[in-house]
Amino acid sequence: AMARDPTVYLIDGSAQFHRAYFAIRGLTTSRGLPTNATYGFTTMLRKLYEDEKPEWIGISFDLPGPTFRHEEFADYKAHRPKMDDELAVQLPYVRRVCEVFRLPMIDAPGFEADDVLATLACQGVLAGMRVVVVSADKDLLQLVSDDVFVLNPGREGSGTTLYDRKKVEEKFGVPPDRVVDVMALAGDAVDNVPGVAGIGDKGARDLIREFGSLEGVLANTARIKRAAYRQGLTEHRDEALLSKRLVTLRTDVPVVLDLDLLRRRDPDRSAAHALFTELEFLNLVKEYAPSAITTTLHRDVATSEDAVRRVIAEAREAGQLALAVVAEGREPMRARLVGIALATAPGKATYVPLSHSVIEAPDALPPGQSLELLGPLLEDPGVTKVALDGKRARVLLSREGIRLAGLGFDVLIAAYLVNPGRRSYDLADLSFEYLGERREARNGAGQGDASFEGAARSGCEEAEIVLRLAGPMAERLASEALESVFRTMELPLIGVLAEMEETGVLVDRSLLAEMSQEMEGQIAVLTREIHALARGEFNVNSPVQLREVLFERLGLRAGRKTAKTRAASTAEEVLEDLAVEHPLPRKILDYRSVQKLKSTYVDALPALIHPETGRIHASFHQTVAATGRISSSDPNLQNIPIRTAEGRRIRQAFVAEAGHVLLSADYSQIELRILAHLSKDATLIDAFQRGEDIHDRTSREVFGPFSPVAPDEQRRRSKMINYALLYGKGAYTLARDIGVTRREAEEFIDAYFARYSSVRRFIDETIARARETGTVRTLLGRLRRLPDLNAKNFQVRAEAERQAMNTPVQGSAADLIKKAMIDLDAALRSRGLATRLILQIHDELLLETPEKEADMALALVKEVMEGALVLDVPLVVDARLGKSWAEAH
């Protein structure tokens, strides 16, 4: 390749910043700061550095305030709307990006960035340099010459265009030195350059090609064939000349091209890391992080009794230890324990192998002996333990007969409390976020490589990072006022949930087999009925065939389209809407619900029975739902339908073991009670204090004056309305739910808020406060971040508002049930009862109790649950006993 002439790159900062703003939409930090332009600008800059590897580089921005063009033409840029606030707030950040890249900024008051670039380009050419101007702005094409090029860097993924003379002529229709003449005739709406009325881009190009220049066109006006052009040029001669002056770039700006100043320097990595952390550009934060010095981790393997005793002594002396329990398999009740890694001081960790083959770990102690030595340390509450996932560690150890005690910090739960909306909690991300270290993303210990070397490496690394994470994460919890919910609620809950997982619940296999047969029959009957209604057979499970039957064969009107394929949707709500017009959609819904229950529960539950315990051990998750609610998997209990006959059938299969009964206890109307407490609404509080039926009261208070309907129908509507408002449903959804017109639904809502005025005020204030802080909190101080409250898109914003009003209510209900579980566990223990918590579903707790304890347990559960929090309204718990969950429910 030819040796490249020395080239200087000059960036049009303002043009690239504007362009980035419109290219990427809706990017904000969790605190609601818009970052789309900053991000787009940063990626453009990095791409430029990577592709061009510039040796000399500078950037210029327009400064605020008028320029010489405004003095010449007061209306210059007049129609340009005031810069969007969302763009204006990002300007300082873009300048900071240039600072961390150590990219020199050259600006001159009274001139635009383009003039600064034109002047520098001129000086560069005189100094014998090649100049590349980086911009997407066509004004700059006038600078192109044998030595000056314009580079339009293109968006992410699209190509870059380099304009030389030939390319300008090809794209613009005239050579570079005639660009200003074309713009003078055509004008520029963006900058409010007037041009000549009646002459557009094409006309301007034709005229300049014919007469050579603006002056040539003006001298030959009489010879122009088109009357409109002749008239325009005669009347607007001065505007044309003014326009040419406005679009011509100045090359006499008081700036100097200083090559020493413009020599490219490496970015300031630590400043870049800090800035990108603040802006939450996670991929860039990773890139500019100080690399983790992995060699500093000193790894030991304890294979002798002395070595294990030495680690135990170190831990006792330090008073704390981080542990990583390495196991093969996802579900802790079924996973195989492989080894335990311990860390007591930064920079070192020790791996105790437990079940590796003799070939891999020839001199390891027998696992029984290692566990016997470690047991007393792990069970000592006086030595604080920190872990990535304490519940998993606890369940795994419990299966080996060790009761882990003294858990003082759980990394996953801390990360969840700080931001409950995040999707994953990868150890690499956390070590990066809190310690500023870059690591390879890897699954937690024992999710991957279970070889001796792999387990020792991943276990030691996890334990050592966790040890160092605990401090900064605890500080973050304290600074966000989350310390108390962490200490008093989430940490103690780990033990309660671990025990529920270990205990499990008994299911009746033969009943499930019988139900499976029965449902098979139901599905066959429904299929026949569906085919009859559809006037022909088709595959009911195929959306494509169903679409054809509904919208083509039966001619029902298509509702919404699916997002991906734009085909008519056959989703549940669409079928609900269509069911009004034709019986087939209702049958399809029945078919789907039977089929779903059969596959999700009836056929899946037997496969989940543990080979050793004969029971099902669901996993309970504390770090999934953004509202703070507990979720469950294998099986997901939260999805069992509450009121249907099928749901009841499935609950029949959950049974108590011999000599025991099940005890189901659930909070009555908990969310409405919490709403009454939070909103301080006198009418609601009064109804609950008198022990009235709240739906009857709403029915009397609000809907008495409306058209008379049967009392039970009126109560059903009132109930729907009470809950609709709680979940932030609008009139449209409510109208569909209760089968009234949208107008009536609006009247209902107005009537409701007129009666419960403090509820309206509470909702409005909650949303307003959330919009200011970007967060909402529950009764006990749990936090949820809602950056979308300021989104431009209406739907996105409306959803965030719904979450803002719903989270304090739902999240406080979650706080309450968690507090009740912790209190209940303590009460059962302190009285030495054998009754045990086995499941948690929404606002309900399920316990298994020996028959002889049942009555005592029933009274105790009611008392503890009703006293878990003191609110302005009484808490009411319904509790029942039964041989099966259905009987007790």
Side-chain angles (χ1 to χ4, degrees), residues 388-634:
L388 175 66
D389 179 348
K391 182 159 66 68
R392 180 181 169 84
R394 180 152 164 180
V395 173
L396 286 162
L397 290 169
S398 165
R399 289 172 51 211
E400 304 296 328
I402 294 173
R403 308 285 299 155
L404 181 66
L407 184 65
F409 201 83
D410 184 297
V411 168
L412 287 186
I413 286 175
Y416 165 76
L417 283 175
V418 168
N419 184 4
R422 66 190 283 170
R423 289 274 64 88
S424 73
Y425 302 91
D426 182 71
L427 192 59
D429 289 346
L430 295 172
S431 89
F432 182 70
E433 199 175 316
Y434 288 93
L435 305 170
E437 294 174 11
R438 244 195 334 205
R439 317 186 156 269
E440 285 309 300
R442 222 202 39 255
N443 295 326
Q447 298 282 318
D449 185 355
S451 70
F452 177 65
E453 184 47 40
R457 193 182 57 242
S458 64
C460 287
E461 189 175 88
E462 179 179 311
E464 197 267 347
I465 296 173
V466 162
L467 183 78
R468 287 185 298 123
L469 275 174
M473 290 187 86
E475 276 168 37
R476 179 75 191 272
L477 287 173
S479 74
E480 299 267 13
L482 291 163
E483 176 81 40
S484 127
V485 75
F486 179 71
R487 294 269 157 226
T488 61
M489 173 152 305
E490 299 298 337
L491 268 188
L493 190 64
I494 292 175
V496 180
L497 293 176
E499 229 155 87
M500 283 164 61
E501 289 185 15
E502 290 157 26
T503 306
V505 58
L506 195 62
V507 292
D508 181 336
R509 254 182 213 270
S510 59
L511 182 64
L512 287 167
E514 199 179 298
M515 279 170 70
S516 183
Q517 292 285 170
E518 217 173 275
M519 286 177 148
E520 198 69 42
Q522 271 176 289
I523 289 172
V525 171
L526 281 166
T527 305
R528 280 200 299 278
E529 294 177 340
I530 286 169
H531 288 162
L533 286 168
R535 307 201 290 270
E537 296 198 1
F538 70 101
N539 175 0
V540 187
N541 297 324
S542 152
V544 177
Q545 293 187 25
L546 176 59
R547 201 173 292 137
E548 201 268 329
V549 168
L550 291 174
F551 304 119
E552 286 165 37
R553 196 185 300 175
L554 299 177
L556 296 173
R557 51 169 185 83
R560 64 196 178 100
K561 307 265 196 285
T562 61
K564 281 212 182 68
T565 58
R566 313 304 304 154
S569 163
T570 57
E572 198 167 319
E573 356 6 330
V574 176
L575 294 178
E576 284 286 357
D577 281 347
L578 292 173
V580 187
E581 299 176 37
H582 194 279
L584 178 64
R586 169 64 54 215
K587 286 283 178 209
I588 302 276
L589 288 168
D590 293 345
Y591 172 94
R592 283 186 186 172
S593 77
V594 175
Q595 196 183 40
K596 185 175 176 204
L597 290 175
K598 181 173 185 288
S599 61
T600 316
Y601 297 109
V602 179
D603 296 344
L605 290 173
L608 294 172
I609 295 171
H610 196 284
E612 286 147 45
T613 65
R615 292 164 76 100
I616 284 179
H617 303 268
S619 293
F620 293 95
H621 309 285
Q622 260 166 294
T623 60
V624 173
T627 51
R629 282 181 170 266
I630 299 170
S631 68
S632 55
S633 61
D634 305 295

Side-chain angles (χ1 to χ4, degrees), residues 284 352 618:
L284 295 176
V352 181

Side-chain angles (χ1 to χ4, degrees), residues 42 47 67 78 95 140 147 160 162 177 185 228 259 281 300 331 577 590 612 618 621 697 699 742 754 772 801 808:
T42 309
K47 188 173 185 303
T67 64
R95 295 185 77 103
L140 288 157
D147 306 297
T160 303
L162 184 69
D177 48 4
L185 287 170
L259 290 180
F281 296 162
D300 247 353
E331 289 303 315
D577 281 347
D590 293 345
E612 286 147 45
H621 309 285
R697 173 87 180 243
S699 182
R742 186 167 173 168
E772 257 164 58
E801 288 178 359

